Amino acid sequence: MIYIHIPFCKQKCSYCNFHFSTSLNFKDEMLDAMKKEILLRKDELQNKNIQSLYFGGGTPSVLSADEIKFLIDEVLKYFSFKNDIEITLEANPDDLNNTFLKELSKSPVNRLSIGTQSFFDEDLKLMNRAHNASEAESSIKRAQDFGFENLSIDLIYGSPTSNLEIWKENLNKTVALEVPHISSYALTVEPKTALENWVSQGKVLNPKEEEQNREFYYMIDFLKGHGFEHYEISNFAKPGFHSRHNSSYWKYQEYLGIGPSAHSYNGTDVRSWNIANNQQYIKRLNSNILAKETEILSPQDQFNEMIMIGLRTMWGVDLDSLNQKFSENILEHFNKEIQNKIEEEILKIENNHLKIPEKHWFMADGIASDLFLV
C-alpha cells in the first residue's frame, strides 16, 4: 500500500501538530518532487499490486481533482491496482463543493475521509476549523449525492466547549447521515500548538479525562447499538466499510510513504521517514536525492511495536506469531507480565490472541506500555 502526504492546509487548527504549510506557493514544485520520489522509490515495495492508496495530510482536498489524478497516474506508472483497490482522499468540508466533487467523482478516488470534527459551531471555533456546522452536515450529503458511499468522518470528543449531551447529538447526527465509518479521537493538548498556549494562559480549560472517558464509552455502546463494529480503539465501521489502508498498518504490512514527513515500513525491521521540511524535501528531490532517514528496528523495538499496535485492535496480538518471532529471553518477561494482568482481568486470551477487554480500551496505551521491553 502507498501513503501520499499532502503538506498543505488553508489554516492551522488549534490542536494540530502535524507537518504542513499554509502557503501554497510551492505546490507545483512539491508535486514534481513527489513525482520524482515515486520514481526513485518504486522498487521498495515487494508487492507491486497494491490494495490501497491513501492521500493524507495536511489537507489533500486543497489540491484540484486533476492534481490528485496526476499523482495517481504517477503511481500507476510503476504499480498496478487491485480490482477492488481502496483509494482514500482526506478532505475538509469547506473544500467539498459541487464543482470539486463532480470532478473528483470522475477520478479513481472511491473513499473520502472528511474532517468533520463536530456538528457544533462552538467546538469548531475552538478548533479553528475552516468550516462551520452547516458545512459539516451539507458536505456529507453532497458527497453522497455525487456517489461517494464509502465515507468516513473524523469526530473529536472531550472538548472543553462540549459535554455529554452535545456529544450525543454529534453521534445522533452521524448515524442519521448514514455515515458507514467513524474515526473518533479525544481532544489532546499537543506541544507547540495554539491550544497548548491557550490552556497554559488559562484562556481555555484543559480537557477533563473523566469526561472524555465517559464520552468514549457512551460512543462505544451507542455505535455498536447502531450496527458499527469497534475494530480499533478510535475506529468504528459498518460491515464491509473497515479502512483497508489503516488495517494494513495495524497488521504490520509493508507500506511506502511519499511526501514530506511521510513514514515507510518494509514489513519486518526497517522504518524510514522523510524530512518534515517542504523546501528541503523539494531541494533534495530536485537533485535526485531521497529526503529520508532510516532506522533498523531492534528485536526489542519490533516487540514493543507489535504489542502497542496489536492491543489497540479487536484482533489483538497473535501469540503464535510472537512466539515464532522472538527469543525466549524476550518472551519470559512478557509472559510474566501478561499473567498478572490476566488475573486482574485487564488482559484476556481468545483463540491464542492477547486482547484488552473493551471496558479497558480507554487505557490501552498505558496497559501496553507495561508490557514493553525497556
Side-chain angles (χ1 to χ4, degrees):
M1 61 180 184
I2 295 176
Y3 171 82
I4 299 180
H5 185 84
I6 307 301
F8 302 113
C9 286
K10 288 181 180 176
Q11 63 190 52
K12 186 168 185 175
C13 298
S14 63
Y15 55 86
C16 181
N17 66 349
F18 288 177
H19 170 67
F20 64 90
S21 169
T22 54
S23 170
L24 300 181
N25 291 340
F26 297 96
K27 185 176 66 170
D28 291 343
E29 291 87 343
M30 179 61 69
L31 294 175
D32 285 340
M34 288 180 173
K35 173 182 177 179
K36 181 67 67 68
E37 187 184 8
I38 293 169
L39 166 64
L40 293 176
R41 302 185 69 187
K42 60 184 175 61
D43 295 324
E44 287 189 28
L45 285 183
Q46 292 184 16
N47 188 352
K48 293 292 191 292
N49 188 18
I50 64 174
Q51 66 171 357
S52 71
L53 174 61
Y54 193 104
F55 290 88
T59 310
S61 56
V62 301
L63 298 183
S64 69
D66 283 344
E67 288 168 334
I68 294 162
K69 191 172 184 303
F70 164 80
L71 290 171
I72 294 173
D73 288 343
E74 288 304 313
V75 172
L76 275 171
K77 287 181 180 178
Y78 315 107
F79 301 90
S80 61
F81 290 168
K82 292 191 174 181
N83 291 334
D84 62 344
I85 187 172
E86 173 191 274
I87 303 181
T88 302
L89 180 82
E90 288 184 354
N92 277 352
D94 47 295
D95 292 325
L96 295 178
N97 55 53
N98 286 339
T99 301
F100 180 71
L101 284 166
K102 181 179 180 180
E103 292 303 312
L104 195 66
S105 68
K106 300 174 185 176
S107 78
V109 173
N110 54 22
R111 183 175 185 269
L112 295 180
S113 177
I114 305 175
T116 305
Q117 314 309 359
S118 175
F119 294 102
F120 287 85
D121 281 327
E122 193 173 0
D123 291 341
L124 296 171
K125 288 176 183 175
L126 173 72
M127 299 173 196
N128 197 37
R129 297 293 291 168
H131 67 281
N132 59 34
S134 175
E135 289 173 315
E137 181 174 352
S138 64
S139 65
I140 295 169
K141 293 178 178 177
R142 277 195 301 275
Q144 292 166 331
D145 289 343
F146 278 95
F148 289 98
E149 296 179 359
N150 195 352
L151 293 180
S152 176
I153 69 169
D154 290 346
L155 291 175
I156 290 180
Y157 60 91
S159 166
T161 52
S162 186
N163 56 45
L164 183 58
E165 292 308 309
I166 290 175
W167 182 232
K168 289 179 180 179
E169 285 299 312
N170 271 316
L171 293 172
N172 281 324
K173 177 74 72 175
T174 301
V175 169
L177 288 167
E178 298 183 339
V179 175
H181 187 282
I182 298 163
S183 296
S184 189
Y185 308 94
L187 182 68
T188 55
V189 182
E190 299 291 349
K192 298 180 181 179
T193 61
L195 183 59
E196 181 193 43
N197 188 41
W198 296 339
V199 170
S200 67
Q201 293 179 5
K203 294 179 179 179
V204 173
L205 293 175
N206 209 6
K208 295 180 180 178
E209 185 174 311
E210 61 271 21
E211 183 66 22
Q212 293 182 336
N213 189 311
R214 189 178 304 114
E215 293 178 9
F216 175 73
Y217 286 109
Y218 175 84
M219 170 175 59
I220 293 174
D221 291 339
F222 178 85
L223 292 178
K224 289 175 73 174
H226 284 83
F228 285 83
E229 186 170 41
H230 190 192
Y231 70 107
E232 193 269 346
I233 286 179
S234 301
N235 287 271
F236 301 79
K238 289 287 186 72
F241 287 96
H242 288 194
S243 169
R244 194 179 309 162
H245 188 87
N246 289 336
S247 295
S248 297
Y249 290 150
W250 303 324
K251 294 177 180 178
Y252 325 111
Q253 296 174 7
E254 66 169 353
Y255 55 89
L256 175 63
I258 301 295
S261 81
H263 284 235
S264 303
Y265 176 53
N266 74 343
T268 54
D269 63 349
V270 179
R271 283 200 184 281
S272 64
W273 56 94
N274 289 341
I275 56 174
N277 183 300
N278 288 3
Q279 292 304 308
Q280 286 299 314
Y281 173 84
I282 292 170
K283 182 178 179 181
R284 291 194 193 183
L285 267 303
N286 282 346
S287 301
N288 292 321
I289 300 171
L290 290 176
K292 68 169 184 171
E293 297 181 37
T294 299
E295 174 188 19
I296 305 298
L297 300 175
S298 68
Q300 176 181 320
D301 294 331
Q302 295 175 54
F303 176 86
N304 291 345
E305 283 199 6
M306 288 184 71
I307 297 301
M308 173 61 80
I309 295 171
L311 289 181
R312 290 181 58 90
T313 72
M314 69 176 188
W315 305 291
V317 178
D318 184 338
L319 294 178
D320 286 336
S321 295
L322 215 64
N323 286 323
Q324 292 169 12
K325 187 175 180 67
F326 298 105
S327 63
E328 287 186 14
N329 63 320
I330 285 179
L331 295 172
E332 183 179 356
H333 155 81
F334 171 70
N335 289 327
K336 180 180 178 181
E337 287 295 325
I338 67 168
Q339 194 56 48
N340 293 335
K341 284 182 165 46
I342 289 171
E343 292 173 3
E344 297 169 7
E345 298 184 347
I346 295 173
L347 290 173
K348 62 180 180 179
I349 295 177
E350 289 181 353
N351 300 320
N352 216 33
H353 282 69
L354 183 69
K355 303 179 181 181
I356 298 175
E358 196 172 43
K359 65 181 180 179
H360 295 305
W361 269 24
F362 192 73
M363 305 303 296
D365 289 349
I367 294 169
S369 66
D370 287 343
L371 305 177
F372 287 175
L373 292 172
V374 293

